[in-house]
Amino acid sequence: MGREQRAGAVEKETGRLESFSDGVFAVAITLLVFNLQVPNLPGAISVPALGSALLARWPSYLTFMTSFATILIMWASHHGLFKLVYKTDTPFLFANGLLLLLVTVVPFPTSLVTQYLITPAASLACAVYAGVFVVINVAYNLLWWAATHQRRLLHPAVTSRQVKRLTRNQLLGLPLYLLATLLAFWNPYVSLGLCSCLWIFWAFTYYVRSPESTSSCPLARRADGS
C-alpha cells in the first residue's frame, strides 16, 4: 500500500474533542460582550450627553474588538492544528484542556484593561493582559508537542517540513509576548499594539492545508518536500 493510500485510510478520532473545544471557544468569545455596557447619565439626558458618555467608553470598544479577534484567531489556529492531528491520547487531552482553560480566562484581562486603560494603573492591567497570552502560548506549544512527539498523533501525510515550520512559529510567540508584558510598564498602548500585531501574524502564518488535499496533489507534495 502506497503512502497516499495509507494516508487516506487513516480514520480521524478527534471529532468529539473538536466539538467540545469549539463549544468552549464559543462561550469565551460570547462572554466578551458583557464588557460592553450601556452608560448611565447622571445628569440631564440629551443627545450630546449620551454621545459623550459613549465616546468615553472607547477602551471597552477597543479591548472588545482586540479580544474578539484574538479568540477568533486562536480558534482558527486550533482548527488548523486539528487538521493535522488524527488521534488522541491522555497527554494530548489534558494539554488541550489546559489551553481551553486559558481561553476562558481571556475575558478577565479584557475586562481589566477596559476598566483601567485610562487610569494610572494601565501599565499593570496591560501587563496582566499580555502575560495571559504568554501562558496561552506556552499551552499552545505544549499541545503541539503532545501531538508531534514521535509523530504518534499526526496524520501520515504530514511532512517534517510542516512540523518544523509550525514549531518555529509557535516558539516565536513566547519571547514576543514576554516583550509585550515588559513593554506594558513603559507604554501600555505599545504593549497592546504588539499583542494585536502578533495575532495578525498568526492569522497569516497558521494556515494549514488538509493532509488529504496535500497527499492527493503531486505538486503540493513536491512543494512540501515529501
Side-chain angles (χ1 to χ4, degrees):
M1 181 181 291
R3 181 181 180 185
E4 289 81 3
Q5 291 176 313
R6 292 197 306 272
V10 175
E11 182 180 356
K12 193 167 176 64
E13 303 174 1
T14 61
R16 290 184 63 191
L17 183 58
E18 291 181 64
S19 297
F20 174 73
S21 300
D22 288 347
V24 173
F25 275 102
V27 170
I29 210 168
T30 301
L31 290 175
L32 294 174
V33 78
F34 291 106
N35 289 311
L36 300 178
Q37 298 180 358
V38 176
N40 293 318
L41 300 180
I45 298 176
S46 65
V47 171
L50 179 59
S52 298
L54 289 172
L55 288 175
R57 291 184 174 270
W58 67 265
S60 64
Y61 312 143
L62 173 65
T63 52
F64 171 77
M65 293 302 298
T66 300
S67 296
F68 187 96
T70 295
I71 295 181
L72 178 64
I73 295 169
M74 288 170 62
W75 171 80
S77 300
H78 188 271
H79 178 67
L81 186 150
F82 271 80
K83 286 183 180 180
L84 307 181
V85 175
Y86 268 56
K87 298 180 180 180
T88 63
D89 61 9
T90 300
F92 185 79
L93 289 173
F94 280 106
N96 189 71
L98 173 62
L99 176 62
L100 296 180
L101 167 66
L102 296 170
V103 168
T104 62
V105 171
V106 171
F108 169 71
T110 299
S111 180
L112 200 65
V113 172
T114 297
Q115 187 168 349
Y116 293 104
L117 183 60
I118 55 177
T119 72
S123 58
L124 181 58
C126 290
V128 171
Y129 184 85
V132 167
F133 292 117
V134 172
V135 184
I136 288 176
N137 183 259
V138 172
Y140 262 111
N141 277 285
L142 181 61
L143 181 65
W144 182 237
W145 176 85
T148 58
H149 182 61
Q150 298 180 347
R151 298 181 60 92
R152 65 185 186 276
L153 305 182
L154 295 179
H155 191 284
V158 177
T159 66
S160 297
R161 179 172 296 183
Q162 285 179 297
V163 173
K164 290 179 181 178
R165 177 176 63 84
L166 292 176
T167 300
R168 181 183 65 247
N169 289 344
Q170 290 280 17
L171 292 174
L172 178 64
L174 184 58
L176 292 178
Y177 281 120
L178 284 171
L179 176 62
T181 304
L182 295 175
L183 286 175
F185 295 100
W186 171 65
N187 190 314
Y189 298 99
V190 172
S191 175
L192 289 178
L194 180 55
C195 288
S196 299
C197 289
L198 280 171
W199 288 113
I200 295 173
F201 170 78
W202 303 136
F204 283 98
T205 61
Y206 215 98
Y207 170 75
V208 177
R209 186 188 296 272
S210 176
E212 292 92 339
S213 62
T214 301
S215 62
S216 64
C217 177
L219 290 177
R221 291 199 303 273
R222 286 198 292 271
D224 283 334
S226 54

